[in-house]
Amino acid sequence: MSPRPRPVRATPATCPCGLPSAYDDCCGRLHRGETRASTAEQLMRSRFSAFAVHDEAYLLRSWHPTTRPPGIDFDPGLRWVCLDILGGTEGGPFSTAGTVEFRAHYTERGRPGELRENSRFVRHDYAWVYLDGNISK
């Protein structure tokens, strides 16, 4: 019996993170491991895109090992549609920690919603990773 082909995940033409670039040239490069995020905001954007395209491997890889869940349960009725960066602290190329406040817009079974969070990021093994966040309404 021949091996079963891996399913090919469709990728959006424009990047879900909100920057005016094609997904393959923007967050897709981080998801494929071709480069690493140089700032906490870039990691935040790439993680939003990973949720949008259901890239579990990238999400887990970019999560701090002390707070990382064993897996991601993607809700098939939830679609991430837009990201607004509201602010942040530190998190630059030479920082070791930072925060990013964002609002993520989604639809859940056709109904619009939003998630607002102030996320904390740190450097771990020389790479930016998501540590945790405070969700607000």
Side-chain angles (χ1 to χ4, degrees), residues 1-136:
M1 186 180 337
S2 63
R4 200 172 194 185
R6 291 182 69 189
V8 176
R9 180 181 32 216
T11 57
T14 58
C15 196
C17 80
L19 294 177
S21 300
Y23 168 79
D24 283 340
D25 298 330
C26 192
C27 293
R29 296 174 339 132
L30 282 82
H31 296 174
R32 292 187 303 272
E34 295 171 5
T35 190
R36 289 182 173 181
S38 60
T39 66
E41 181 180 324
Q42 187 181 27
L43 183 66
M44 176 62 243
R45 289 181 179 279
S46 69
R47 287 177 54 81
F48 175 84
S49 292
F51 274 106
V53 300
H54 294 185
D55 189 338
E56 179 180 32
Y58 180 76
L59 288 166
L60 295 175
R61 195 168 62 245
S62 63
W63 212 309
H64 195 278
T66 62
T67 58
R68 179 188 310 136
I72 308 293
D73 183 22
F74 294 108
D75 180 343
L78 186 69
R79 185 173 156 257
W80 296 100
V81 295
C82 177
L83 176 68
D84 300 321
I85 301 296
L86 305 174
T89 62
E90 299 288 325
F94 303 107
S95 301
T96 57
T99 66
V100 178
E101 185 178 2
F102 68 91
R103 182 174 36 242
H105 301 268
Y106 61 86
T107 59
E108 186 170 21
R109 290 165 183 64
R111 292 192 171 134
E114 65 179 45
L115 168 79
R116 187 169 175 163
E117 181 175 317
N118 192 14
S119 297
R120 292 191 311 154
F121 298 89
V122 296
R123 295 251 189 203
H124 178 74
D125 291 338
Y126 307 102
W128 281 110
V129 293
Y130 172 77
L131 182 61
D132 60 19
N134 292 316
I135 296 174
S136 60

